[in-house]
Amino acid sequence: MRHIAQTEGARTLWRGLAPTLVASGPSTVIYFVGYDYLRQYLGRRVQRSSWHGYEKYSALLAGCLARTAAVTAISPIELVRTRMQSAATHDFKTVMRGVSSNIRASGIRTLWRGLVPTLWRDVPFSAIYWFGYERWRDVYAPLLKAAEPAGNSSRGGGRDILVAFCSGASSGVVAAALTTPFDVAKTRRQIEQHVDAQAHRRHRRSLAQVMRQIAAADGLRGLFAGLAPRLMKVAPSCAIMISAYEFGKQALK
């Protein structure tokens, strides 16, 4: 971070912010509202069936379905953001000219380049995250309730938000660590050869091939490159997003 700030300016650390903000609206709506609805719907269906003992796994399935819809919807914006962050010369106009050139050469499907690796990263992440989130809530809720002064029931709403914050951070760390190899492969595939669309089409590689190449060149450690900054991003991000979402639901109830 210091190197980027010293050589390219502190503003470079926020490169790609505009497409990130554009994507965050529809992505968050689809993801969180979709999960909430599917979690309740699937939970009710499972409870009424002979599979009622597996009701807790409805969070896992709901997370997968909601994330698949959200990732597919914003994949073109994610492509632009990744390219803007991949090199110092890739400002918005340069990236859009490159994207337009790719569309002319390879068709509109180029906007969803890297979708499959992204799904491989985000869908398992969401499954692990939401399943873990529900479990962590069962851990933190009684601990924080026991820590409150006796007879103080007025802070129930604040406690619920704090439970969501801690649960989101804890589950996010576990999910991010386990899915980092997919994140590395997704990023490597999405930025490589984007200047020459024809070459990319001729030498298109599967996610498994990308991961094997990374492992062969850099060892297993290569598949976890960037783990520390990923955890530094994901933990507070998950904590802030889920606690803000719970706060918003309480405020608007």
Side-chain angles (χ1 to χ4, degrees):
M1 292 175 67
R2 285 196 300 268
H3 174 74
I4 293 172
Q6 291 170 358
T7 58
E8 303 175 36
R11 292 180 59 186
T12 307
L13 293 171
W14 278 265
R15 179 182 292 136
L17 176 62
T20 299
L21 293 176
V22 170
S24 66
S27 173
T28 302
V29 169
I30 295 170
Y31 186 38
F32 279 83
V33 178
Y35 169 79
D36 238 358
Y37 174 80
L38 289 168
R39 173 72 175 85
Q40 297 175 31
Y41 174 78
L42 293 172
R44 290 193 300 266
R45 293 293 297 269
V46 172
Q47 286 178 345
R48 292 197 297 263
S49 70
S50 59
W51 296 77
H52 55 84
Y54 297 93
E55 190 272 336
K56 62 181 179 180
Y57 294 104
S58 59
L60 189 151
L61 181 57
C64 290
L65 295 175
R67 195 59 180 175
T68 298
V71 169
T72 303
I74 68 162
S75 183
I77 304 175
E78 175 72 8
L79 176 66
V80 172
R81 181 192 67 80
T82 302
R83 291 192 180 182
M84 287 183 67
Q85 294 178 338
S86 66
T89 58
H90 288 176
D91 55 53
F92 183 74
K93 291 183 179 179
T94 303
V95 168
M96 291 309 299
R97 283 197 295 268
V99 170
S100 299
S101 176
N102 291 163
I103 293 174
R104 289 193 297 270
S106 306
I108 194 69
R109 291 178 59 185
T110 193
L111 293 176
W112 280 267
R113 179 179 299 162
L115 174 61
V116 172
T118 302
L119 290 174
W120 271 105
R121 178 197 66 179
D122 286 3
V123 173
F125 176 92
S126 295
I128 298 169
Y129 171 76
W130 286 113
F131 180 77
Y133 173 75
E134 301 291 347
R135 306 284 76 74
W136 279 108
R137 283 207 307 180
D138 295 339
V139 173
Y140 284 118
L143 290 177
L144 294 176
K145 185 175 182 179
E148 290 184 351
N152 186 1
S153 59
S154 61
R155 296 181 58 194
R159 183 182 66 245
D160 291 343
I161 294 171
L162 183 57
V163 168
F165 185 93
C166 296
S167 302
S170 300
S171 187
V173 166
V174 175
L178 294 177
T179 58
T180 292
F182 298 115
D183 183 50
V184 174
K186 186 275 302 185
T187 303
R188 190 76 65 89
R189 182 180 178 184
Q190 198 168 37
I191 65 175
E192 70 179 5
Q193 296 182 332
H194 60 77
V195 176
D196 189 346
Q198 295 297 332
H200 180 84
R201 185 166 57 184
R202 290 193 302 270
H203 303 290
R204 185 177 298 158
R205 298 177 298 161
S206 67
L207 179 68
Q209 289 174 324
V210 174
M211 295 180 70
R212 281 199 298 269
Q213 183 190 46
I214 294 172
D218 304 318
L220 292 178
R221 292 181 60 184
L223 293 172
F224 290 88
L227 175 61
R230 178 163 160 78
L231 294 180
M232 290 170 63
K233 167 192 172 184
V234 169
S237 174
C238 289
I240 293 169
M241 288 181 70
I242 190 62
S243 56
Y245 180 68
E246 292 295 335
F247 173 80
K249 287 200 300 182
Q250 290 186 19
L252 297 172
K253 186 177 297 182

